[in-house]
Amino acid sequence: EKCLIIAHKGDTYVGDLGADGSIIFEGQTFSSPSGWSIYVKRRTNPERKADDGWKSVCYGGKKLEHYKHEHLKAKYLNHNPAG
């Protein structure tokens, strides 16, 4: 399903989330959000060296970074109930 989005320089790119967690875009498979985001951003800037996909890729209207922080926070609180 088309549920991952990168908005970059006025364009929107939509990718599928594979059952194994990979990202499928235009027939290519990416193993990480950063791999996909740098691929997309190099279309407008071929010299770009890196990109943080956690801050570029959105799911459900929120950046993946949000979900990563929520997961880490929940994991921390589960291991440290006094938090």
Side-chain angles (χ1 to χ4, degrees):
E1 73 188 67
K2 303 220 177 269
C3 61
L4 299 172
I5 296 172
I6 295 174
H8 179 64
K9 297 199 177 213
D11 291 320
T12 301
Y13 304 89
V14 181
D16 295 318
L17 182 59
D20 62 355
S22 63
I23 299 166
I24 300 107
F25 176 71
E26 295 182 344
Q28 295 193 52
T29 301
F30 299 88
S31 61
S32 71
S34 295
W36 180 42
S37 64
I38 193 63
Y39 174 82
V40 166
K41 292 182 178 183
R42 281 185 178 154
R43 290 176 166 203
T44 56
N45 180 3
E47 302 301 316
R48 188 162 183 141
K49 302 291 183 211
D51 191 68
D52 185 348
W54 293 98
K55 295 178 181 176
S56 297
V57 179
C58 295
Y59 174 83
K62 296 181 181 178
K63 293 180 189 248
L64 291 183
E65 180 179 50
H66 164 79
Y67 298 105
K68 181 170 88 170
H69 288 308
E70 289 297 308
H71 172 74
L72 292 174
K73 184 168 62 172
K75 186 175 176 179
Y76 174 79
L77 291 176
N78 286 337
H79 291 333
N80 300 297

